[in-house]
Amino acid sequence: MDALLDNSDLILGALGTTLYITVVSAVGALVVGVLTTVARISPVRILRTAAALYVQYFLNVPLLALLLLAVFALPDAGLLMPLRTTVIVVLVVYEGAYVAEAVRSGVNTVPPGQLEAARALGLRFSQVVRKVLVPQALRAVVQPLGNVLIALLMNTALAATVGVVELTSAANRVNNVAAQPITIYVAVGLMYMVLALGIGLLAGRLEKKVAITR
């Protein structure tokens, strides 16, 4: 316990980094996921194909491989970014595929009659998506999106492998000096657990609040 107290500044700073990466990546992934879903249901075939390929690719490639590729290969191609920014970009495009799958399942819950009524009123595709499909789809998948957010939180730990000092990386550094793995990793694990439970509880409450009664 003394090791944690003596390094509390490092641990708390790393916790802040983990939360920052999680929040920024979550917002970006939500935007990417929604846009991808819109592309998958659009009347333009090339958009549907591109969106489907994007989702399938990122659903079937390990996140660690993408992180290593971005950190070590992209600089050789002339794309230089700070490590934390690189991690956030990778998480956005990776988790965006999972968000897209969740939102697409929400789109499938919208009654076809509502879409037909919207078209009968003369609404364009963009208006149908913006005013009918996306709002109802998001309300229907609050809990699945919460699960994606929890997975995103856990995936931030992989940032330690590329040199970002987040919570797991800080735990490794403290343990290298103090050699108290049980105390340090149990404490850090509890922090992740509390954050995950908090996300789950918030998602559950939000789901009840915005639930659609059909």
Side-chain angles (χ1 to χ4, degrees):
M1 187 60 69
D2 289 341
L4 291 172
L5 295 176
D6 293 340
N7 294 276
S8 59
D9 290 344
L10 174 62
I11 295 293
L12 292 177
L15 176 60
T17 299
T18 292
L19 291 174
Y20 176 82
I21 292 174
T22 301
V23 171
V24 175
S25 299
V27 173
L30 180 62
V31 173
V32 170
V34 170
L35 292 177
T36 301
T37 301
V38 173
R40 293 190 75 177
I41 62 175
S42 75
V44 182
R45 183 175 181 180
I46 190 170
L47 288 180
R48 295 198 307 270
T49 302
L53 290 174
Y54 158 75
V55 170
Q56 289 304 312
Y57 178 79
F58 285 101
L59 288 182
N60 294 285
V61 175
L63 175 58
L64 181 57
L66 295 174
L67 282 172
L68 294 175
L69 175 66
V71 171
F72 297 109
L74 290 184
D76 290 340
L79 298 175
L80 299 175
M81 293 184 293
L83 280 177
R84 190 169 68 172
T85 302
T86 301
V87 169
I88 290 173
V89 170
V90 172
L91 285 173
V92 166
V93 296
Y94 179 80
E95 298 293 342
Y98 290 87
V99 171
E101 285 292 274
V103 176
R104 190 164 72 100
S105 69
V107 168
N108 292 334
T109 68
V110 179
Q114 292 192 18
L115 304 181
E116 294 173 3
R119 287 193 291 266
L121 291 173
L123 296 182
R124 297 187 301 274
F125 174 76
S126 60
Q127 293 175 312
V128 173
V129 167
R130 188 174 68 253
K131 297 181 179 181
V132 180
L133 275 179
V134 171
Q136 293 192 64
L138 291 177
R139 291 172 68 180
V141 294
V142 171
Q143 193 62 59
L145 289 178
N147 294 337
V148 172
L149 180 55
I150 291 174
L152 169 58
L153 169 67
M154 301 306 171
N155 284 336
T156 60
L158 290 177
T161 63
V162 293
V164 176
V165 184
E166 44 68 66
L167 196 53
T168 298
S169 176
N172 291 335
R173 293 189 178 194
V174 174
N175 184 61
N176 287 339
V177 175
Q180 298 178 20
I182 295 178
T183 300
I184 294 169
Y185 289 114
V186 167
V188 169
L190 289 173
M191 292 181 190
Y192 279 113
M193 184 185 73
V194 169
L195 292 174
L197 288 175
I199 293 172
L201 289 174
L202 287 175
R205 291 186 178 182
L206 183 59
E207 182 182 39
K208 292 180 180 178
K209 185 175 182 180
V210 302
I212 300 175
T213 303
R214 301 193 188 279

